[in-house]
Amino acid sequence: MDSAPSAVTPETAQGPTDKHRRRVATAAALASAVEWYDYFVFGIAAALVLGELYFPAGSPSAGVLASFATFAVGFLARPIGGVIAGQLGDKRGRKPMLVMALTLMGLATTGIGLLPTYETIGIAAPLLLVFLRILQGIAVGAQWGGAMLMATEYAPEGKRGLYGSLVQLGVPIGVVTANTVFLIAGALTSDSAFAAWGWRLPFLVGLLVLGLAWYIHAKVEETPAFKEAEQALAEQEKGEGAKRSPLRAILREHLGTVLLAGGSFAVNTATFYIIITGVLDYTTRELGMERESVLMVSLCISLTQLALIPLSAALSDRIGRIKIYGFGAVGLLVWAVPMFLLIDTGSLLWLAVGTFVCSCFLSIMYGPQAALFAELFTAEMRYTGASLGYQIAAVAGGGLAPFVMVLLLELTGTSMSVSAYIIMLAVVALISIKVLAGRAAQR
């Protein structure tokens, strides 16, 4: 696994130029960034205003739980997007699925920004909010595999980790941009105006994603690895007289690998959403910290990931994916308790320290993850397999994490229960990583 060759074979004179590789990698990174921006603005809004506007009945905690449950619905829909786009992406190409995902995300996010509240249209408001969140989930589930493969399958020899990390940078870029837009919206409006209409502005920015979808459709070519796999499989199907199904092949022959991939990554995505969404609710509602200050900490922490993610990915190109990936998982396990002890002080400084160290371990794992998952599967089923592994982790970890955090805090009254949740997922990750490493060593 760590030494798997690049998906791009040695180039002929007619192969992609370095300039074209960089253009494709940049387009994939931008696609990931705008897609994750659209996805993250919902999480921030869920922590700040959606509970009151769309789920007004009951206590403040009940409203936040309902809001985070809607947030989690998007994660439940992500495997659907991964399966649909994976099947079509392994048959029809990476690029058209990426364009489809961007278009769907742009329309769904804009729809949320225009959606009337419960006070205006009653029960239809939360129902439509859930529906649009499902569309967001399908879109981001489809996007990651397409963007990741556009980058890694164009990567030059020995740089798959680095190129894959450019797509991973979409997450911190999306967080930084989403937090920045919310900070600007909050600064330009009063509290009452922000609750009435200011929160909608970050969602309306989602329209810009449609322009990027057009650019990729018009200017970016399909990956060399897919073209080679498409030609080989066309000849195979012609001889066998049967249509292939990447999903059927994955479920029949590689289900264990998919589940291990998901198990290895759930702690990363869960902890990430805990510190950018769950902690935002916890510190503002329970600890009485200022919304703008907490958002600023989240923004600054995400900026540090812009350096750490490609650094860890480049290091994985030299010493191996599993070593870097496993080190990050160990760090999350060890830091889970100290992080919440620092957060519970209610000090902005210690909040920044606790989440910064956690963010470092998240970045160490996240950098090589795209290349690691790509190397688990062959080109003709890579979109389906990698997407399923990633989205299973998103459902098991990220989607439920803010909801689980609020629930644990309500039931136990202590943040140490959230630390225990992170530790449990870290143990699962380390077991999964060890099994994957053992399988790689047997090849």
Side-chain angles (χ1 to χ4, degrees):
M1 182 188 315
D2 289 352
S3 59
S6 172
V8 179
T9 56
E11 302 292 334
T12 66
Q14 292 75 35
T17 63
D18 288 343
K19 181 179 179 180
H20 186 65
R21 294 180 197 273
R22 288 193 294 269
R23 186 202 312 163
V24 172
T26 301
L30 286 174
S32 177
V34 298
E35 190 93 351
W36 285 114
Y37 164 84
D38 284 0
Y39 201 67
F40 290 144
V41 292
F42 191 100
I44 297 173
L48 297 178
V49 297
L50 294 186
E52 178 183 350
L53 296 176
Y54 290 91
F55 307 95
S59 67
S61 295
V64 172
L65 279 170
S67 183
F68 279 158
T70 305
F71 178 70
V73 165
F75 286 82
L76 297 176
R78 281 170 60 169
I80 299 173
V83 168
I84 294 172
Q87 282 279 91
L88 295 175
D90 282 330
K91 288 184 176 183
R92 307 299 181 191
R94 304 357 181 166
K95 186 179 81 169
M97 294 304 101
L98 182 56
V99 171
M100 178 199 74
L102 289 169
T103 303
L104 182 60
M105 178 62 87
L107 294 175
T109 303
T110 303
I112 294 172
L114 298 174
L115 185 64
T117 64
Y118 186 93
E119 183 179 2
T120 304
I121 60 174
I123 192 65
L127 292 177
L128 288 171
L129 183 66
V130 170
F131 173 72
L132 291 170
R133 181 59 178 171
I134 289 172
L135 293 184
Q136 278 195 320
I138 292 173
V140 82
Q143 172 271 144
W144 181 79
M148 179 270 290
L149 293 180
M150 290 293 291
T152 58
E153 291 185 345
Y154 262 108
E157 187 73 30
K159 292 187 177 180
R160 182 188 281 174
L162 180 60
Y163 270 59
S165 73
L166 298 179
V167 173
Q168 306 295 74
L169 287 177
V171 170
I173 292 173
V175 172
V176 168
T177 309
N179 279 281
T180 300
V181 174
F182 264 99
L183 283 168
I184 293 172
L188 295 178
T189 60
S190 63
D191 288 345
S192 59
F194 181 82
W197 57 268
W199 68 270
R200 297 181 183 275
L201 298 178
F203 287 91
L204 298 179
V205 176
L207 279 172
L208 298 178
V209 74
L210 300 179
L212 181 60
W214 175 86
Y215 175 83
I216 293 175
H217 172 73
K219 302 294 184 181
V220 175
E221 297 180 5
E222 190 54 78
T223 70
F226 174 76
K227 291 178 180 178
E228 293 175 7
E230 183 182 38
Q231 182 178 1
L233 285 164
E235 295 175 358
Q236 178 183 340
E237 289 178 354
K238 183 177 179 180
E240 297 175 355
K243 294 290 184 182
R244 68 188 179 95
S245 169
L247 178 61
R248 188 181 302 119
I250 285 290
L251 295 179
R252 185 176 62 244
E253 302 169 16
H254 303 283
L255 179 59
T257 301
V258 169
L259 294 176
L260 288 169
S264 74
F265 192 61
V267 65
N268 187 287
T269 186
T271 307
F272 174 77
Y273 283 103
I274 283 172
I275 67 170
I276 71 159
T277 301
V279 167
L280 175 60
D281 167 65
Y282 177 58
T283 53
T284 56
R285 185 168 57 87
E286 298 288 344
L287 302 182
M289 301 178 71
E290 292 293 328
R291 177 185 68 198
E292 289 77 11
S293 299
V294 178
L295 284 173
M296 186 60 71
V297 167
S298 180
L299 187 153
C300 293
I301 295 304
S302 296
L303 285 173
T304 65
Q305 293 183 314
L306 297 178
L308 290 173
I309 287 175
L311 181 62
S312 66
L315 190 60
S316 79
D317 283 328
R318 294 177 175 272
I319 67 174
R321 319 276 182 229
I322 287 292
K323 291 179 182 178
I324 302 299
Y325 197 67
F327 179 78
V330 170
L332 292 178
L333 185 150
V334 172
W335 191 246
V337 170
M339 178 175 69
F340 272 99
L341 290 176
L342 293 174
I343 292 172
D344 284 344
T345 64
S347 162
L348 197 64
L349 173 62
W350 292 122
L351 167 68
V353 171
T355 53
F356 169 73
V357 174
C358 180
S359 178
C360 290
F361 292 125
L362 290 173
S363 300
I364 289 169
M365 281 191 77
Y366 200 57
Q369 184 253 342
L372 174 65
F373 278 29
E375 291 167 353
L376 294 174
F377 307 96
T378 55
E380 65 273 11
M381 61 182 70
R382 185 173 289 147
Y383 201 138
T384 303
S387 292
L388 273 178
Y390 188 96
Q391 303 312 336
I392 285 173
V395 173
L400 295 175
F403 179 87
V404 170
M405 178 175 174
V406 174
L407 192 60
L408 287 172
L409 290 170
E410 287 293 309
L411 292 176
T412 66
T414 172
S415 63
M416 290 299 99
S417 59
V418 184
S419 297
Y421 172 57
I422 294 173
I423 290 170
M424 177 191 71
L425 291 176
V427 170
V428 172
L430 290 171
I431 293 172
S432 300
I433 292 168
K434 183 174 179 59
V435 176
L436 286 173
R439 290 186 174 189
Q442 295 173 2
R443 293 179 183 175

